Amino acid sequence: MGKNVLIITGDAVEALEVFYPYYRCIEENINCTIASPVKKSLQTVVHDFLPEMETFTEKWGYKIDSHASVDEIDPTDYDALIIPGGRAPEYIRMNTKVQDITAHFLKENKPLGVICHGQLVLTTIREYIKGREMTAYTACRPEIEAAGATYVEEMLHVDGNIVSGHAWPDLPGFMKEFFKLLNVKKEASV
């Protein structure tokens, strides 16, 4: 039986951080479900860095459909969870069902991948991340530390079942470590 991965996100998700993991899972024959507070076509955003700006820029990206609302999700049906960044985590973290789903993966020690601003969701269930180590986009450091976790100044960090990444340029290593936790083996192609 194949693995099942859940991606929880919403509007203003960073485009690369949802598309890359979604298609990598499909490429590995992993069933992948995108869930959002409301089942809909999600508007992604593209964040980039310009030398003349002290913060990132934001433009609209491609749309991607969510397959289910979070209210339809039973986390016991899934082997792992990915929470992409962008601005989506700022508002989806207030959804109690998102909090409950995320807490399930931490309580059950299932693989959990969070990248960029995705770690903001974890700060709402602080009892499960207290004492844990993670990285995130630098601007998220105060929230991570206020939640009782240790911010690690690395582009990629693994702490037990949590794989955390700094931003979209770290996606190749992020997915490699996530697949290790999920025990996905890449067959050599001939």
Side-chain angles (χ1 to χ4, degrees), residues 158-189:
V158 179
D159 178 3
N161 67 317
I162 301 174
V163 177
S164 57
H166 182 258
W168 59 261
D170 309 306
L171 281 163
F174 175 83
M175 289 307 295
K176 181 178 178 183
E177 294 300 326
F178 180 78
F179 286 150
K180 280 183 190 175
L181 288 180
L182 195 57
N183 296 315
V184 174
K185 294 181 180 156
K186 183 85 175 163
E187 302 267 334
S189 56

Side-chain angles (χ1 to χ4, degrees), residues 61-110:
Y62 293 108
K63 291 197 171 202
I64 190 167
D65 290 336
S66 63
H67 306 117
S69 77
V70 292
D71 292 328
E72 300 172 277
I73 297 298
D74 178 353
T76 62
D77 293 338
Y78 296 90
D79 301 298
L81 172 65
I82 295 173
I83 305 174
R87 284 185 299 110
E90 294 173 9
Y91 79 92
I92 68 168
R93 68 180 172 165
M94 304 308 289
N95 183 302
T96 55
K97 181 67 177 189
V98 169
Q99 294 169 11
D100 291 344
I101 291 168
T102 306
H104 166 82
F105 289 88
L106 290 166
K107 285 189 284 190
E108 298 299 320
N109 203 35
K110 293 181 179 179

Side-chain angles (χ1 to χ4, degrees), residues 18-19 26 29 52 60 72 74-75 83 86 89 95 98 101 106 113-114 120 122 134 139 148 164 169 183:
V18 69
F19 281 107
I26 291 171
N29 294 314
E52 62 273 12
W60 283 21
E72 300 172 277
D74 178 353
I83 305 174
N95 183 302
V98 169
I101 291 168
L106 290 166
V114 286
L120 293 177
L122 303 183
M134 66 186 72
S164 57
N183 296 315

Side-chain angles (χ1 to χ4, degrees), residues 2-190:
K3 302 272 186 179
N4 295 309
V5 170
L6 177 64
I7 296 176
I8 294 183
T9 193
D11 283 317
V13 58
E14 189 350 280
L16 284 172
E17 293 171 8
V18 69
F19 281 107
Y20 190 101
Y22 177 67
Y23 285 117
R24 281 294 292 121
C25 285
I26 291 171
E27 192 174 62
E28 295 292 337
N29 294 314
I30 296 169
N31 300 312
C32 192
T33 301
I34 298 173
S36 55
V38 175
K39 180 181 174 181
K40 63 179 291 223
S41 183
L42 301 171
Q43 179 62 61
T44 72
V45 295
V46 176
H47 290 152
D48 207 351
F49 303 93
L50 301 175
E52 62 273 12
M53 290 187 64
E54 294 178 6
T55 188
F56 55 84
T57 63
E58 182 176 282
K59 297 180 175 105
W60 283 21
Y62 293 108
K63 291 197 171 202
I64 190 167
D65 290 336
S66 63
H67 306 117
S69 77
V70 292
D71 292 328
E72 300 172 277
I73 297 298
D74 178 353
T76 62
D77 293 338
Y78 296 90
D79 301 298
L81 172 65
I82 295 173
I83 305 174
R87 284 185 299 110
E90 294 173 9
Y91 79 92
I92 68 168
R93 68 180 172 165
M94 304 308 289
N95 183 302
T96 55
K97 181 67 177 189
V98 169
Q99 294 169 11
D100 291 344
I101 291 168
T102 306
H104 166 82
F105 289 88
L106 290 166
K107 285 189 284 190
E108 298 299 320
N109 203 35
K110 293 181 179 179
L112 172 59
V114 286
I115 191 161
C116 198
H117 287 73
Q119 290 80 330
L120 293 177
V121 174
L122 303 183
T123 66
T124 63
I125 52 171
R126 59 184 59 208
E127 62 271 25
Y128 301 107
I129 63 165
K130 189 174 182 179
R132 302 292 298 269
E133 293 181 348
M134 66 186 72
T135 191
Y137 185 66
T138 311
C140 298
R141 182 178 188 155
E143 286 87 353
I144 289 169
E145 292 177 340
T150 300
Y151 181 85
V152 178
E153 292 185 20
E154 297 174 354
M155 298 297 107
L156 182 67
H157 189 73
V158 179
D159 178 3
N161 67 317
I162 301 174
V163 177
S164 57
H166 182 258
W168 59 261
D170 309 306
L171 281 163
F174 175 83
M175 289 307 295
K176 181 178 178 183
E177 294 300 326
F178 180 78
F179 286 150
K180 280 183 190 175
L181 288 180
L182 195 57
N183 296 315
V184 174
K185 294 181 180 156
K186 183 85 175 163
E187 302 267 334
S189 56
V190 178

